Structure formats: C-alpha cells, structure tokens
Amino acid sequence: LKLLYAGILKASERWTHPIQNWNLTLSQLTIHFPDRLEKYNSL
C-alpha cells in the first residue's frame, strides 16, 4: 500500500505541469474542428 500511495503521489506531480506545445496543438485542432472549438478558442 505504501508503494501504491507513493506512485499516486508521483503521478499527481506530473498532472500539475503545463502541457507542452499546447498552442500548436490547439491551433491544429482549431483547423481540423473549427465549429467545435470556436467558443473555447481565444486566439
């Protein structure tokens, strides 16, 4: 149980880091799905 708890703590640290290349990803998604991201996109 201690190892499981330590693993969860380690994984949760990675979830708090910002996503790399998010602007590029968002731009590509906007090109492929313009209608779906229109109200969420603030470019």
Side-chain angles (χ1 to χ4, degrees):
L1 288 175
K2 289 180 183 180
L3 288 175
L4 180 62
Y5 178 73
I8 291 171
L9 286 179
K10 185 70 173 174
S12 66
E13 287 177 8
R14 285 187 253 149
W15 292 336
T16 60
H17 294 289
I19 299 172
Q20 293 180 353
N21 299 324
W22 177 246
N23 290 331
L24 177 62
T25 303
L26 185 58
S27 297
Q28 291 175 357
L29 287 172
T30 302
I31 291 169
H32 290 287
F33 305 105
D35 298 335
R36 293 187 179 199
L37 298 174
E38 190 173 277
K39 64 181 177 180
Y40 302 107
N41 196 356
S42 62
L43 292 175

